[in-house]
Amino acid sequence: MMNKKILPTRPSLLDTLAHSALQRAIIRAVENTALEKSLCYCLDATAGNGHDTCALARFCYEQKKNIHVLACDIQEQALANTKLRLEEKSLCAELVLCGHEKIITYLPQDAFLVGAMFNLGYLPGKDRKEDLVITQAKTTVQALEYICTRLIAQGCVSIHCYTGHNGGLEEYQAVSDFVSFLNPREWRVLKTMDINREHNLEFLFLLEKLQQKKK
């Protein structure tokens, strides 16, 4: 039986903002002469249906620089969906079956991390009445800690949080607590949210690691 073609979907406004921020970080890495011959990576820490993975792969390809894309998910179906979407768009990325708290172990020690994306919650398209596999506050914060440690100056991390499912609000609060305590001399942290809704709010955090001034 042939694989069903995945229909294109329009990214949400928050996803578009996240993609723009990561594209900016990739361009800055390309312009950094110190990284000209270095091994660089971008991470999609929640592959899902492959939208963010494809966006990162496309941005890297357009810059004509050898920046690799590494994506992970804990569900085989998510990686299958991502692989199919990449093939349809003639893009390349390395896919790993693991939780995002372990993705950093697949990043080469000599590699420079340019950016990372998180789209939290559950696999889009799943029926909420089913037993959903969801991202968890503990492992999400653990992944963020590792990734923030490896991120280069002027690199970017985007975190899209959803609160309409069980556990979503708790995960958002854990992420919010973590990013709120990042050193403002080392990080710029932006938060975008719905202000005309009362329920099922979505939040986007954008983290930029600041370039430290030479003394």
Side-chain angles (χ1 to χ4, degrees):
M1 182 176 179
M2 293 182 65
N3 288 328
K4 184 178 179 181
K5 184 179 179 66
I6 296 179
L7 297 177
T9 57
R10 182 181 180 185
S12 71
L13 180 57
L14 292 185
D15 288 334
T16 300
L17 290 173
H19 292 170
S20 180
L22 267 293
Q23 186 177 26
R24 177 174 178 266
I26 291 168
I27 291 173
R28 286 189 167 186
V30 170
E31 294 174 345
N32 187 344
T33 56
L35 298 176
E36 189 173 356
K37 297 182 179 180
S38 300
L39 181 63
C40 297
Y41 271 82
C42 285
L43 305 180
D44 182 357
T46 48
N49 285 321
H51 295 290
D52 292 340
T53 306
C54 284
L56 290 174
R58 178 169 58 84
F59 296 152
C60 293
Y61 175 78
E62 289 173 348
Q63 292 303 313
K64 305 300 181 184
K65 180 175 173 63
N66 193 26
I67 300 179
H68 301 271
V69 176
L70 174 64
C72 77
D73 205 289
I74 201 169
Q75 299 180 84
E76 292 184 357
Q77 184 60 56
L79 295 184
N81 294 349
T82 299
K83 183 175 183 291
L84 178 58
R85 194 174 296 279
L86 286 164
E87 290 173 348
E88 288 180 349
K89 296 180 179 296
S90 300
L91 295 169
C92 296
E94 181 182 350
L95 306 180
V96 180
L97 182 65
C98 72
H100 50 214
E101 75 279 9
K102 297 179 181 178
I103 191 173
I104 209 71
T105 63
Y106 292 89
L107 188 67
Q109 287 295 321
D110 60 342
F112 291 90
L113 180 57
V114 174
M117 302 189 74
F118 290 78
N119 211 318
L120 303 175
Y122 55 90
L123 182 63
K126 282 280 189 177
D127 188 340
R128 292 193 187 187
K129 295 180 181 179
E130 298 179 14
D131 291 331
L132 294 175
V133 176
I134 63 172
T135 53
Q136 303 288 335
K138 181 179 179 180
T139 52
T140 296
V141 171
Q142 187 177 355
L144 284 170
E145 289 174 342
Y146 295 151
I147 285 172
C148 286
T149 300
R150 291 289 301 271
L151 195 71
I152 64 171
Q154 299 186 316
C156 179
V157 179
S158 71
I159 313 148
H160 192 161
C161 299
Y162 302 84
T163 62
H165 61 282
N166 290 335
L169 186 59
E170 292 78 8
E171 184 175 37
Y172 153 72
Q173 191 60 60
V175 170
S176 182
D177 290 344
F178 172 77
V179 302
S180 295
F181 285 100
L182 291 174
N183 189 335
R185 294 183 178 181
E186 299 178 5
W187 294 89
R188 185 172 191 187
V189 180
L190 304 181
K191 176 182 177 181
T192 302
M193 61 174 287
D194 298 300
I195 62 171
N196 62 340
R197 293 184 183 179
E198 295 182 0
H199 305 289
N200 299 341
L201 298 178
E202 296 180 29
F203 301 85
L204 176 67
F205 295 98
L206 296 175
L207 319 180
E208 181 184 38
K209 197 166 191 176
L210 301 177
Q211 182 77 55
Q212 298 300 304
K213 296 181 179 180
K214 296 181 179 180
K215 297 182 179 180

